[in-house]
Amino acid sequence: MTTMALQMLEAADAAHIQHPGGTLMAHLKRVKALLDSWGARPALAAAGLCHAFYGTDGFPTALLDLENRADLAKAIGTDAEAIAYFYASCDRKASYHSLADEDGLFADRFTGTQFIPGLQQRRDFAELTAANELDLAAVSPDIRARYGSALLDLLTRWRPLLSDPAWAHCRNLLSSTHGISQLRTAEVTAEP
């Protein structure tokens, strides 16, 4: 499954597309490895490797047209492709604030539609977002210094959706940027 996805990434020249911390290919591999280290199921880890195929709200470079979603589904499976699409489709400004809410609306930036995602979709999205953003914070001290506090605030709000390993990684990586007393407050106020 991963072999075909890596071939598609190579064909799309992901190894030569600049991205914080090196190349897009290096980032995608690190995100998958991070998800694997957290014990993510195979579909989520595969989506982590392929989460930028359609571009994202924060990284507009697309490697594959939406009309070719079936090609990515063939490479990584329909469940993994659906997670990758869901991640890429997110209108962050409209969706982030209510993701942890059971009735929070999710805005699809490709179609303009809004809907209430299921719990598994929200968990997958939160976990993939955490892996993506924590990778960037880990490889770039500048990104960690500039955005670490806001990232910890976001992931604290999403704590009910995150796995324990993802939350532990978040705390360990971002505690120095947020301050120990603020982090302890975040741990106390976040629901497990």
Side-chain angles (χ1 to χ4, degrees):
M1 174 160 64
T2 304
T3 302
M4 287 179 65
L6 288 170
Q7 290 171 347
M8 290 178 71
L9 287 166
E10 288 171 11
D13 212 24
H16 296 101
I17 297 172
Q18 291 303 305
H19 192 273
T23 66
L24 180 59
M25 178 74 93
H27 167 67
L28 295 172
K29 287 179 176 180
R30 289 190 310 263
V31 169
K32 181 189 183 302
L34 191 52
L35 288 163
D36 283 334
S37 77
W38 294 345
R41 68 185 194 291
L44 180 56
L49 179 65
C50 299
H51 73 268
F53 259 96
Y54 309 125
T56 70
D57 199 1
F59 189 77
T61 303
L63 306 178
L64 188 67
D65 291 331
L66 289 173
E67 295 80 33
N68 298 316
R69 287 183 64 188
D71 295 341
L72 186 58
K74 182 178 178 184
I76 63 173
T78 55
D79 290 343
E81 189 281 332
I83 296 167
Y85 174 87
F86 187 68
Y87 181 83
S89 73
C90 181
D91 177 330
R92 295 176 181 184
K93 187 175 182 181
S95 303
Y96 270 22
H97 67 281
S98 63
L99 185 73
D101 300 339
E102 192 173 305
D103 60 350
L105 286 176
F106 182 91
D108 183 319
R109 69 187 184 96
F110 297 133
T111 66
T113 60
Q114 291 188 341
F115 61 97
I116 299 171
L119 179 59
Q120 188 63 54
Q121 283 181 298
R122 293 184 296 122
R123 284 184 173 156
D124 288 343
F125 184 86
E127 197 87 350
L128 180 49
T129 299
N132 179 63
E133 300 298 337
L134 291 172
D135 172 67
L136 296 176
V139 299
S140 172
D142 181 55
I143 288 175
R144 189 168 54 252
R146 290 175 64 197
Y147 304 109
S149 182
L151 179 57
L152 182 58
D153 289 344
L154 174 69
L155 295 179
T156 298
R157 286 195 315 273
W158 291 1
R159 172 61 184 110
L161 301 173
L162 295 173
S163 67
D164 290 339
W167 178 242
H169 189 95
C170 174
R171 283 192 334 252
N172 292 338
L173 180 65
L174 300 177
S175 63
S176 64
T177 61
H178 199 65
I180 297 301
S181 63
Q182 289 173 311
L183 181 60
R184 287 191 180 133
T185 300
E187 287 176 337
V188 169
T189 60
E191 293 180 25

